[in-house]
Amino acid sequence: MAEKLKLVRELIPWSLVIKAIFFGAAWLALPYLLFVLAAAFLFFNPPFQAGRFSPLFLLMIWFGYALPAGPREAVFLAVLFATALGTKNLLFVDRLFVSQVLFTIASFLLWLTVFSANPRPNLSFLVTSLIASGISFLLCRFVVQLREAHQLAPTSVFLIFLSSFLSFELAWILLLLPARPVTQALLMALGAAAFLEIFTNYLARSLTEKKLGLMTSGAMAVILSLFFLLPHTLTP
């Protein structure tokens, strides 16, 4: 038992854990500009793959600006930071699993900002959800490139766009539900992760075109049906 615990301690990248704790604590305790400087030092030291991961860093910094400061948000930001930094510095062996975790947490925080700022379906939600869907598209593309490690084919880009479009539709359905923003964002992140997993399985040849078409058509049919039925169902 002692040998197993020693092996686990050796496998845990403790420097990454410490940096993530400092990142979350800096977000809670420091003024925003000092937090940005501290985060940049933690993330880009060493500057390995700095250019490739700069957009992801900027997204985390934007989360730090848009999210309300609290212990729960700090934990999610710290986990996202650790996942991103560990991926950047090639500390993780299972890049497929880690990239899925990265995408899910980033999607959760992204849509948490959207649902928290826009509790009702209006023009503001339309604009912010479109922007969030665009960011989701770029995030999907980044994650798929991490997995494939080469230039994406047009088919891959189209499927990533389709995943983001389905997420945009799902956001409107979840906005109609009588739920808290954190619950809506969690369901949104799980849905977006499921869409991404379906399309990446197809790209990896573990899903046939027929099954992909059936699953995509079914998802769109369910989303559209809920969109038209929920307002009448929830109206007293």
Side-chain angles (χ1 to χ4, degrees), residues 168-191:
F168 171 75
E169 289 186 327
L170 181 61
W172 281 87
I173 300 302
L174 294 175
L175 186 66
L176 298 175
L177 295 178
R180 297 170 59 194
V182 63
T183 304
Q184 293 169 323
L186 179 60
L187 294 173
M188 189 70 213
L190 294 175

Side-chain angles (χ1 to χ4, degrees), residues 189-204:
L190 294 175
F195 294 146
L196 177 64
E197 193 65 22
I198 289 171
F199 295 131
T200 50
N201 283 340
Y202 170 74
L203 294 173

Side-chain angles (χ1 to χ4, degrees), residues 43-44 49-60 88 142:
F43 194 76
F44 294 114
Q49 298 196 94
R52 185 181 186 186
F53 280 80
S54 291
L56 184 58
F57 173 77
L58 293 176
L59 181 62
M60 290 189 290
K88 169 182 154 316
F142 175 77

